[in-house]
Amino acid sequence: MKSKKKRNTIIWIVVALVVVIAGYFSFIRPQEQAKRTVTIGIMAGSKQDDEIWKTVSKTAKDKYNVTLKFKRFTDYNQPNKALENGDVDLNSFQHKLFLQTWNKAHKTDLVSIGDTYITPIRLYSKQYKSVKEIPDGGTIAVPNDASNESRALFALKNAGLIELKKGTKLATVSSISKNPHDLKIKELAADQTARSLDNVDAAVVNTNYAQAAGLNYKSAIFVEPINKDSKQWVNVIAAKDSQKNNKIYKDVVKAYQTEKTKQEIKKLYGTAEIPAWDLNFNK
């Protein structure tokens, strides 16, 4: 009798363990795994960008047990809305000034939790081989949207062509304090600056539009330098302020900021795109 009772007790213990284990795998573990799945909002971009994120995803999974999923956007106004609304956990598409400007305009508190890369803006010319050759009274085309125009004017400042008023952060044509070569600044839509090269002496062109127009970035007559002026153009991974210390999100940043990612960027972009997380911008 005692033997039968003992056997029944063992059976019930085994059944209870099976129920607990089954419950763990059917309910608790999926919840834990869901917490380790991070959705990132990115722009529907190039094959190169997809390859870089593929490398980051592998590192995130292998080293941190974090699964990355992606939501792709075609409109630059959407990824921050999606982050604010909770449709994505993080996004990675914008530079620091864009994020700062967005927060101010939309009264949001999105923050950078890690640097990714910088894509230096460049000055191109079909007529001249150096900045010094641009004639007095020449015309230079720049993008006309706020952030890119400012970036272009800072590039012209660093090229020694103009000076900007002290303390300028978001530059416009009215921010120019000195124009010793009497240059004419022609404001155009960013996607039109490359096409204007037949009609102007030089043009400041974003790398993506230069590539679309068939311009070789190595042919530029001036490249935006890595210094305190260009720090605001570093692209970032962004999160809600309330989630800036989320350990899993920090692991995503670590998975991006690796030597492996550096090598992948170099392989796919050469020097058109530069890993930025350990650059010195205090020059």
Side-chain angles (χ1 to χ4, degrees):
M1 188 72 178
K2 287 182 179 180
S3 176
K4 186 176 180 181
K5 188 176 180 181
K6 186 177 181 181
R7 186 172 65 249
N8 287 341
T9 301
I10 292 171
I11 290 171
W12 279 112
I13 290 172
V14 171
V15 169
L17 284 171
V18 169
V19 170
V20 169
I21 292 169
Y24 173 78
F25 280 98
S26 64
F27 181 72
I28 298 174
R29 189 174 180 181
Q31 283 195 327
E32 289 178 349
Q33 189 56 43
K35 290 178 183 177
R36 300 198 70 81
T37 298
V38 178
T39 302
I40 305 176
I42 60 175
M43 297 306 295
S46 64
K47 290 180 180 178
Q48 292 99 316
D49 291 337
D50 289 342
E51 287 300 314
I52 290 166
W53 279 114
K54 198 178 292 183
T55 297
V56 176
S57 295
K58 188 174 188 310
T59 302
K61 186 65 178 174
D62 292 349
K63 192 168 182 180
Y64 302 102
N65 192 30
V66 176
T67 299
L68 300 187
K69 292 186 176 179
F70 300 95
K71 187 167 184 179
R72 289 172 169 78
F73 299 91
T74 56
D75 179 350
Y76 280 93
N77 290 309
Q78 295 306 311
N80 280 336
K81 288 181 181 178
L83 181 56
E84 182 66 21
N85 295 336
D87 293 333
V88 297
D89 301 306
L90 304 171
N91 69 37
S92 183
F93 78 102
Q94 64 196 321
H95 51 58
K96 293 180 179 182
L97 183 62
F98 187 101
L99 178 59
Q100 179 185 328
T101 305
W102 176 275
N103 279 331
K104 188 174 180 181
H106 296 86
K107 295 180 171 52
T108 50
D109 59 352
L110 308 179
V111 297
S112 164
I113 61 169
D115 295 345
T116 54
Y117 62 86
I118 184 170
T119 307
I121 205 166
R122 288 168 164 81
L123 181 67
Y124 296 86
S125 177
K126 286 190 174 180
Q127 301 180 58
Y128 308 109
K129 298 295 184 183
S130 75
V131 170
K132 292 179 180 179
E133 293 180 16
I134 297 174
D136 290 353
T139 299
I140 298 180
V142 300
N144 65 2
D145 60 284
S147 64
N148 280 315
E149 179 170 11
S150 179
R151 188 175 189 179
L153 292 173
F154 270 103
L156 296 181
K157 170 207 160 189
N158 280 293
L161 292 170
I162 61 172
E163 290 184 26
L164 298 174
K165 293 175 184 175
K166 190 175 180 179
T168 296
K169 292 186 178 179
L170 190 64
T172 64
V173 172
S174 63
S175 305
I176 298 173
S177 59
K178 291 184 180 179
N179 185 356
H181 303 287
D182 195 27
L183 298 172
K184 298 176 181 65
I185 306 299
K186 187 173 184 178
E187 298 163 292
L188 299 171
D191 62 351
Q192 296 299 310
T193 54
R195 298 180 187 181
S196 74
L197 280 168
D198 288 330
N199 304 306
V200 298
D201 294 285
V204 181
V205 186
N206 297 77
T207 298
N208 57 326
Y209 293 124
Q211 289 174 336
L215 291 174
N216 185 336
Y217 71 90
K218 293 179 181 178
S219 70
I221 62 173
F222 183 77
V223 181
E224 176 183 59
I226 301 299
N227 62 17
K228 60 184 179 180
D229 286 339
S230 56
K231 188 174 183 178
Q232 60 190 327
W233 313 119
V234 171
N235 280 56
V236 299
I237 295 173
K240 285 186 175 182
D241 183 68
S242 61
Q243 292 296 314
K244 65 184 177 185
N245 294 317
N246 184 307
K247 184 183 181 304
I248 294 175
Y249 296 171
K250 287 184 175 183
D251 285 343
V252 173
V253 173
K254 290 177 186 175
Y256 195 104
Q257 295 178 347
T258 64
E259 187 62 31
K260 194 172 182 181
T261 306
K262 269 189 186 181
Q263 294 305 317
E264 193 69 12
I265 292 173
K266 184 177 180 180
K267 181 179 82 174
L268 296 168
Y269 282 105
T271 57
E273 187 171 291
I274 303 170
W277 54 88
D278 56 4
L279 291 177
N280 178 14
F281 288 91
N282 298 318
K283 302 173 186 177

